[in-house]
């Protein structure tokens, strides 16, 4: 009796959240999946029936090809930059002395808590033709004509790096914290110099952190909306902004749903395979 | 030995400038006395802050976001605390799957959630309702609160509960006197981080917010789409300052670095 | 010439002095232990020898040459860390090979040396495993092989056995001692475990509050501690306040405070008649006898069976005295009995009493 009632306790405690998730997460996702198979008519909107034409459009149309490729390209570039910037920064932070360490950890990570719209606005102010960067550059006589940054892919990537790099730092930081500080001394006693220690001892042990950070950054950049919409403008569409336009612009919901489903599947596939690879490669020594 | 060289410090300084530059530019721009987007150098003015008060759309969107954040964070914690107790204190079949489900809003692209909610609310005919907006926010902020409460509960030594039982405490007393005090920092920290996530959310909300249920980030996004002027910089400055205040609050009750990087 | 010599080593931090003038010379092939409680400065000493910390003053001489300014990576010391500090991303063989690679030793010679080092610690069959797949004792041996593979000038062991369970720890004490004898590397071991130090070291430096209070071989340290601290930190002893009454030949007679009992002890030339002393008595050297045969007498307060031996505590007028005897059946005395205490004069260690000098 006691056993039975005890085993009901966790169910009762998690039931409200479980019901809520069933209603508000599972149902809408199923609905959007169903919608993506429906055909679309300009006059009547979504109609019943099952068709693969939305997926054929999404995956076959050169227009959407460009959008998907652009999205992946932006996400990859953002990821590479976040690795190159975030991993060394996490290492520098971990080597700082007591008060500075927490101070700069907070300084570099807290932009995470500020709205993406606000941060992107900051980049728009910096990037514009008459923006801060161009004004300073021409004021110093560095440039004769304004450098285009707003409405360019480079601009979108830079702003996305700003949004995503804290996640890379958190991930690498966590890997650095798991390191036994004595291994550095052990390597020193065996004759290794600073550079050798970083390349042969530290780096291999934080690779799992870098990889899981890359995963988060890539997923975030591939599905980003506000940053590419504001910095990229109407011309540089990405998957998220294209979905938005289908839903709230041309009102072709089934097509928008198909784009969203493709995004979800691509995202989930990358995450799962990547995780599998990570586990296989690093399970031997990862904590 | 354990210090950064000059090259490392230079890279670090550039990085800090990179992280803070957009925020500083926004705050600086909001102090301009002019109608143009130019950084003020000689004279500063608060006219664009007064201009916010003259714009009822921003004011109502601001209050909408505040009320939505408070109610959504409270609802999310009301669901997350019992769930965290179940997950942290019991092992049962399907536990791992349940954790996966509860944390999944973190890895599903918000744009996908946005279209899914839009479709769902249209089907059940509650488009544009505040209730729908609230429910969608509760869902996406739920994992943030859950993680902090779980962390607070799993950090505590399970033996202290047994110690309390051995000293004669009933289950209810154990919860009230031992478990609950231990999870208060996690619950409070989780509430604030949930509020911040709700207050900041734009990608999903842009699909489900209508003129009658407009949050501040969505309002700002639509405004920026049309034109960028010093007014939106001053609104952004208010958001930055409010977020800063909340960060101080989190730091007091939970530890900001602990929340940002997990146990550190 | 000493293999390694510490000269007036002092380390001060802002608020306290960690080391206060350490002098120590270690002969080639010797196994020396630094023994003391936490905070006594033993780990700081080891870190200075290894090159991880700089002394405030004083210096370390290796083969007569000062190590001042030589970085840890150039000192060629083999170190076994308390946490082992194995490289988790490298296999056992790669861990052992690391130091050889740093010395740019060609691959065939390197593989040969790795094999030798692993055979030395009897782990040749686990060369391709990762550290996580090994038990604590095995990890410990890999750490030892890694340190020895570079044929270090000096082997430094930092609490090497403290993470092992009691039985394994005793086995490893024997094994480490045997391996060190075989390779002949001069060794310094830091430990807080007096039994471990007694079992493995040629000489032991007992440290307290940043100083070496006694440096002696294990037997001398145990039988003739020269300070109150050494007597109480190494082994168990009863300590009684006394005063030397007279010195005659090799013996002196001691007047124990408060009572007029006069007991014999071995004389120390440095202690004239009248000086205040502490006599330290090891329990196994004190015999329980009928009251009339004892130097001291008192009431048997407790009698504890410890498996191989019995431990008695006797309440005397001047404090509790411990006595132990091997287990050979039920002892002759029961708790509450009035008993006498007896010992051979040379078994009482006389320590000058600093507080009542």
């Amino acid at each position: 009796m006691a056993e039975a009632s005890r085993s009901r306790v966790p169910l009762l405690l998690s039931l409200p959240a479980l019901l809520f998730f069933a209603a508000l997460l599972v149902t809408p996702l199923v609905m959007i999946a169903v919608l993506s198979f429906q055909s679309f008519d300009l006059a009547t909107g979504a109609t019943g029936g099952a068709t693969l034409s939305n997926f054929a459009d999404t995956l076959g149309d050169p227009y959407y090809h460009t959008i998907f490729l652009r999205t992946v390209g932006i996400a990859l570039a953002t990821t590479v930059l976040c690795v190159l910037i975030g991993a060394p920064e996490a290492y520098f932070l971990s080597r700082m002395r007591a008060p500075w360490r927490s101070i700069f950890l907070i300084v570099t990570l807290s932009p995470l808590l500020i709205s993406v719209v606000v941060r992107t606005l900051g980049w728009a102010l910096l990037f514009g033709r008459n923006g801060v960067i161009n004004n300073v550059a021409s004021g110093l006589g560095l440039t004769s004509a304004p450098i285009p940054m707003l409405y360019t892919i480079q601009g979108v990537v830079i702003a996305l790096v700003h949004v995503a790099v804290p996640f890379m730092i958190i991930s690498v930081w966590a890997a650095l914290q798991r390191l036994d500080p004595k291994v550095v001394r052990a390597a020193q006693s065996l004759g290794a110099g600073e550079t050798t220690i970083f390349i042969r001892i530290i780096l291999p042990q934080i690779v799992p952190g870098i990889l899981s950070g890359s995963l988060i950054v890539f997923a975030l950049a591939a599905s980003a909306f506000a940053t590419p919409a504001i910095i990229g403008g109407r011309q540089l569409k990405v998957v998220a902004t294209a979905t938005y336009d289908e839903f709230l612009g041309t009102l072709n919901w089934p097509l928008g749903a198909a784009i969203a489903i493709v995004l979800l599947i691509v995202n989930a596939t990358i995450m799962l395979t990547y995780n599998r690879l990570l586990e296989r490669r690093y399970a031997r020594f990862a904590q | 030995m354990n210090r950064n060289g000059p090259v490392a410090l230079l890279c670090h300084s550039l990085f800090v400038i990179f992280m803070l530059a957009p925020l500083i530019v926004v705050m600086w721009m909001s102090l301009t006395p002019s109608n143009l987007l130019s950084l003020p150098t000689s004279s500063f003015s608060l006219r664009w802050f007064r201009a916010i008060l003259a714009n009822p759309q921003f004011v109502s969107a601001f209050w909408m976001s505040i009320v939505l954040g408070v109610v959504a964070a409270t609802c999310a914690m009301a669901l997350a605390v019992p769930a965290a107790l179940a997950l942290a204190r019991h092992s049962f079949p399907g536990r791992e799957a349940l954790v996966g489900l509860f944390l999944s809003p973190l890895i599903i692209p918000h744009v996908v959630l946005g279209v899914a909610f839009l479709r769902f609310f249209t089907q059940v005919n509650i488009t544009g309702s505040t209730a729908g907006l609230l429910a969608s926010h509760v869902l996406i902020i739920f994992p943030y609160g859950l993680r902090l409460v779980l962390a607070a509960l799993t950090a505590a030594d399970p033996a202290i509960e047994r110690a309390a039982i051995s000293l004669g405490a009933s289950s209810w007393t154990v919860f009230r006197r031992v478990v609950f005090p231990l999870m208060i920092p996690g619950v409070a920290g989780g509430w604030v981080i949930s509020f911040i996530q709700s207050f900041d959310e734009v990608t999903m909300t842009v699909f489900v917010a209508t003129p009658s249920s407009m949050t501040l980030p969505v309002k700002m996004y639509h405004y920026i789409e049309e034109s960028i002027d010093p007014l939106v910089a001053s609104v952004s400055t208010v958001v930055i300052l409010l977020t800063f205040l909340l960060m101080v609050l989190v730091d007091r009750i939970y530890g900001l670095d602990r929340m940002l990087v997990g146990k550190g | 010439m000493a293999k390694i010599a510490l000269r007036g080593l002092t380390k001060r931090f802002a608020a306290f002095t960690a080391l206060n003038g350490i002098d120590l010379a270690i002969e080639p092939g010797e196994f020396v232990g630094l023994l003391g409680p936490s905070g006594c400065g033993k780990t700081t000493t080891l870190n200075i020898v290894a090159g991880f910390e700089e002394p405030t003053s004083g210096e370390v001489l290796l083969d007569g040459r000062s190590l001042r300014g030589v970085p840890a990576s150039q000192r060629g010391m083999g170190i076994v860390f308390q946490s082992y500090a194995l490289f988790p991303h490298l296999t056992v063989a790669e861990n052992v090979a690391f130091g050889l690679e740093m010395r740019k030793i060609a691959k065939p010679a390197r593989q040969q040396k790795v094999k030798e080092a692993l055979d030395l610690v009897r782990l040749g069959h686990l060369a391709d495993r990762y550290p996580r797949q090994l038990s604590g004792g095995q990890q410990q041996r890999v750490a030892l092989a890694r340190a020895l593979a570079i044929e270090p000038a000096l082997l430094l062991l930092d609490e090497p056995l403290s993470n092992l369970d009691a039985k394994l720890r005793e086995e490893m004490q024997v094994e480490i001692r045997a391996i060190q004898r075989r390779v002949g590397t001069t060794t310094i071991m830091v430990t807080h475990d007096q039994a471990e130090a007694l079992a493995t070291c040629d000489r032991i430096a007992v440290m307290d509050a940043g100083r070496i209070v006694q440096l002696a071989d294990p037997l001398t340290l145990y039988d003739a501690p020269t300070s109150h601290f050494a007597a109480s930190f190494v082994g168990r002893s009863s300590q009684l306040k006394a005063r030397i009454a007279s010195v005659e030949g090799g013996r002196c007679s001691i007047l124990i405070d408060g009572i007029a009992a006069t007991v014999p002890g071995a004389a120390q030339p440095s202690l004239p008649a009248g000086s205040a002393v502490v006599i330290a008595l090891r329990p196994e050297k004190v015999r329980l006898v009928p009251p009339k045969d004892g130097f001291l007498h008192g009431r048997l307060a407790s009698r504890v069976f410890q498996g191989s031996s019995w431990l008695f505590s006797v309440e005397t007028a001047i404090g509790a005295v411990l006595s132990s005897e091997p287990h050979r059946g039920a002892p002759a005395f029961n708790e509450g009995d009035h008993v006498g205490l007896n010992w051979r004069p040379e078994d009482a260690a006389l320590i000058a009493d600093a507080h009542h000098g």
Side-chain angles (χ1 to χ4, degrees):
Chain A
M1 188 60 217
E3 283 300 308
S5 75
R6 196 191 299 161
S7 68
R8 265 205 305 273
V9 169
L11 180 67
L12 287 174
L13 285 172
S14 49
L15 196 61
L18 190 58
L19 290 176
F20 180 72
F21 266 69
L24 259 294
L25 183 69
V26 180
T27 315
L29 286 178
V30 170
M31 279 183 175
I32 205 75
V34 170
L35 180 65
S36 69
F37 291 105
Q38 292 184 349
S39 52
F40 174 70
D41 182 272
L42 264 179
T44 56
T47 54
T51 170
L52 288 171
S53 67
N54 300 312
F55 288 99
D57 283 354
T58 308
L59 301 171
D61 192 327
Y63 174 74
Y64 291 109
H65 271 173
T66 315
I67 289 177
F68 268 97
L69 283 178
R70 184 185 291 134
T71 307
V72 170
I74 287 174
L76 277 178
T78 306
T79 309
V80 170
L81 281 175
C82 280
V83 171
L84 294 179
I85 296 172
E89 176 63 18
Y91 183 59
F92 300 152
L93 284 171
S94 75
R95 283 160 56 101
M96 285 184 182
R97 294 266 162 88
W100 300 113
R101 203 150 104 138
S102 327
I103 291 173
F104 280 114
L105 204 56
I106 289 173
V107 166
T108 51
L109 298 186
S110 54
L112 262 189
L113 301 179
I114 293 169
S115 171
V116 172
V117 179
V118 172
R119 286 189 278 165
T120 305
L121 172 71
W123 285 109
L125 294 176
L126 285 163
F127 281 165
R129 270 183 78 81
N130 293 309
V132 177
I133 293 176
N134 273 324
N135 275 342
V136 170
S138 71
L140 294 172
L142 295 173
T143 53
S144 49
I147 317 162
M149 284 173 286
L150 204 55
Y151 312 128
T152 65
I153 289 201
Q154 305 88 285
V156 174
V157 170
I158 292 173
L160 279 176
V161 168
H162 185 262
V163 171
V165 75
F167 292 101
M168 178 64 72
I169 293 180
I170 290 173
S171 192
V172 175
W173 174 267
L176 282 167
Q177 294 308 105
R178 284 196 292 268
L179 233 129
D180 177 359
K182 285 280 164 62
V183 296
V184 172
R185 287 189 165 187
Q188 277 175 352
S189 75
L190 295 169
E194 289 277 302
T195 318
T196 313
I197 290 175
F198 182 75
I199 294 172
R200 295 280 313 270
I201 304 298
I202 309 274
L203 196 58
Q205 294 190 68
I206 60 173
V207 164
I210 293 177
L211 292 182
S212 65
S214 310
L215 193 60
I216 299 170
V217 169
F218 183 88
L220 203 70
S223 56
F225 171 77
T227 306
I230 293 171
I231 304 288
R234 299 208 181 284
Q235 299 307 312
L236 286 177
K237 270 195 201 169
V238 293
V239 174
T241 49
T243 312
Y244 180 78
D245 289 346
E246 292 303 335
F247 265 84
L248 298 162
T250 55
L251 298 179
N252 186 344
W253 284 26
L255 185 60
I259 300 175
I261 291 291
V262 171
L263 178 65
L264 182 62
I265 289 171
V266 170
N267 234 321
T269 312
I270 291 176
M271 289 230 172
L272 291 178
T273 42
Y274 210 82
N275 258 336
R276 185 99 19 103
L277 282 177
L278 263 183
E279 273 166 20
R280 201 178 307 157
R281 176 76 182 78
Y282 293 100
R284 284 169 302 180
F285 68 84
Q287 307 274 333
Chain B
M1 199 80 69
N2 207 15
R3 294 202 89 154
N4 293 305
V7 179
L9 284 178
L10 178 71
C11 293
H12 169 71
S13 311
L14 290 175
F15 181 77
V16 170
I17 292 170
F18 170 73
M19 286 313 285
L20 296 183
L23 304 177
I24 290 168
V25 163
V26 166
M27 292 195 279
W28 194 349
M29 191 70 84
S30 69
L31 293 170
T32 185
S34 123
N35 284 328
L36 300 170
L37 279 175
S38 58
L39 289 181
T41 48
S42 49
S43 61
F44 299 90
S45 147
L46 293 176
R47 63 173 279 210
W48 291 107
F49 289 91
R50 288 192 293 272
I52 302 174
L53 298 176
N55 187 319
Q57 285 192 326
F58 272 125
V59 174
S60 68
F62 176 83
W63 287 118
M64 180 71 191
S65 277
I66 294 276
V67 173
L68 178 67
V70 169
V71 179
T74 310
C75 293
M77 293 315 287
L79 292 172
V81 168
L85 284 169
L87 295 171
R89 283 288 177 267
H90 304 270
S91 67
F92 49 91
R95 186 181 169 282
E96 291 304 311
L98 205 57
V99 173
L101 175 70
F102 286 159
L103 295 182
S104 64
L106 290 176
I107 55 164
I108 300 175
H110 278 196
V111 61
V112 174
L113 289 174
V115 299
F117 288 138
L118 177 56
R119 174 67 175 167
F120 178 61
F121 295 155
T122 315
Q123 293 291 94
V124 300
N125 233 338
I126 55 165
T127 326
S129 81
T130 322
L133 188 62
L134 174 66
S136 64
H137 271 233
V138 171
L139 187 92
I140 57 162
I141 64 181
F142 180 87
Y144 293 94
L146 182 74
R147 274 205 304 206
L148 256 65
V149 182
L150 266 181
L153 284 174
T154 47
D157 181 358
I160 60 172
E161 268 181 64
R162 291 192 203 128
I165 293 166
S166 73
L167 294 169
S170 66
S171 330
W172 171 243
T173 312
V174 170
F175 178 78
R176 198 168 48 87
R177 299 281 302 276
V178 179
V179 180
F180 187 70
L182 282 172
M183 66 181 195
I184 282 181
V187 173
W191 189 91
V192 179
I193 186 73
S194 300
F195 174 84
I196 292 174
Q197 291 301 328
S198 163
F199 189 79
D200 286 352
E201 215 296 323
V202 63
T203 310
M204 184 278 293
T205 316
V206 83
F207 286 91
V208 292
T210 57
S212 63
S213 60
M214 183 61 74
T215 68
L216 186 60
V218 175
K219 173 70 202 160
M220 287 167 69
Y221 168 72
H222 287 312
Y223 193 91
I224 292 171
E225 261 195 321
E226 298 302 318
S227 69
I228 298 178
D229 65 16
L231 176 62
V232 74
S234 66
V235 176
S236 295
T237 302
V238 172
V239 172
I240 292 171
L241 294 178
L242 182 75
T243 312
F244 181 74
L245 275 180
L246 289 173
M247 283 183 208
V248 174
L249 194 66
V250 176
D251 199 38
R252 283 286 158 80
I253 57 182
Y254 191 80
L256 193 53
D257 45 356
R258 184 153 78 113
M259 191 197 72
L260 287 167
V261 296
K263 51 195 184 290
Chain C
M1 183 178 58
K3 181 71 185 172
I4 185 124
L6 316 185
R7 296 248 181 93
L9 228 46
T10 298
K11 178 76 177 178
R12 285 191 196 90
F13 295 101
F16 90 116
T17 303
L19 287 185
N20 197 354
I22 296 290
D23 288 293
L24 180 62
I26 299 173
E27 298 306 315
E30 216 181 354
F31 193 131
V32 170
L34 302 181
L35 173 66
S38 60
C40 72
K42 57 190 194 298
T43 301
T44 307
T45 307
L46 195 80
N47 282 341
I48 289 174
V49 173
F52 298 135
E53 286 180 48
E54 281 292 317
T56 311
S57 65
E59 61 182 346
V60 179
L61 302 175
L62 181 66
D63 294 321
R65 287 190 310 277
S66 172
L67 288 178
R68 183 171 289 279
V70 180
S73 57
Q74 304 301 314
R75 291 193 177 191
M77 311 240 171
I79 306 177
V80 175
F81 293 86
Q82 185 171 10
S83 63
Y84 315 139
L86 296 176
F87 307 130
H89 59 299
L90 301 181
T91 63
V92 166
E94 287 166 346
N95 262 281
V96 177
F98 187 86
L100 302 169
E101 269 179 71
M102 296 300 117
R103 282 160 181 72
K104 308 232 173 352
I105 289 170
K107 197 163 185 193
R110 200 161 77 208
Q111 284 171 332
Q112 182 57 32
K113 281 172 186 283
V114 168
K115 188 177 177 313
E116 284 169 14
L118 286 177
D119 287 344
L120 188 67
V121 297
R122 297 183 287 115
L123 281 182
H125 59 296
L126 297 179
D128 296 324
R129 297 277 185 91
Y130 283 87
R132 261 176 66 79
Q133 301 167 315
L134 305 182
S135 71
Q138 289 169 335
Q139 291 185 21
Q140 217 280 329
R141 296 215 292 263
V142 176
L144 188 61
R146 183 177 70 177
L148 287 173
I150 60 171
E151 287 162 23
L154 205 61
L155 179 63
L156 305 177
L157 308 174
D158 184 7
E159 303 269 7
L161 305 176
S162 61
N163 286 340
L164 303 177
D165 63 53
K167 196 162 182 299
L168 195 56
R169 191 155 59 222
E170 281 180 20
E171 287 170 21
M172 283 304 296
Q173 284 169 7
V174 176
E175 182 157 353
I176 283 186
R177 182 70 243 219
I179 289 172
Q180 193 267 348
R181 286 252 168 79
R182 202 171 332 147
V183 297
T185 309
T186 313
T187 302
I188 301 179
M189 176 172 77
V190 158
T191 180
H192 66 275
D193 181 346
Q194 46 98 17
E196 186 172 300
L198 292 174
T200 48
C201 297
D202 293 319
R203 282 194 298 161
I204 298 169
V206 181
M207 295 184 66
D208 179 36
R211 293 174 182 278
I212 294 179
V213 295
Q214 187 170 7
L215 174 66
D217 64 273
L219 224 56
T220 308
L221 180 65
Y222 189 82
D223 286 339
T226 56
S227 68
H228 177 76
F229 180 82
S232 55
F233 194 77
V234 179
R236 211 167 1 195
S237 67
S238 315
Q239 300 188 11
L240 303 172
K241 283 198 176 71
R243 191 168 290 278
I244 295 181
S246 62
V247 184
E248 269 173 40
R251 297 235 168 145
C252 61
S253 80
I254 305 161
L255 199 62
I256 297 209
D257 282 354
I259 56 168
T262 302
V263 297
Q268 271 190 22
S270 57
L271 296 172
S275 40
V277 292
V278 168
I279 41 178
L281 294 166
R282 297 293 182 192
E284 68 276 14
K285 292 173 178 171
V286 176
R287 289 192 308 276
L288 236 52
V289 293
K292 62 180 167 41
D293 299 332
F295 298 135
L296 285 172
H297 41 85
R299 194 182 61 88
L300 181 56
S302 73
R303 195 181 83 169
V304 179
F305 180 51
Q306 295 184 315
S308 63
S309 61
W310 291 85
L311 182 68
F312 308 101
S313 174
V314 179
E315 289 292 347
T316 73
I318 51 160
V321 176
L322 294 174
S323 164
S324 76
E325 65 179 43
H327 171 51
R328 294 195 196 88
F333 300 98
N334 291 312
E335 286 180 0
D337 285 358
H338 195 67
V339 296
L341 295 164
N342 205 339
W343 59 87
R344 293 188 305 167
E346 58 269 34
D347 286 340
L350 292 193
I351 299 166
D353 189 347
H355 305 294
H356 301 276

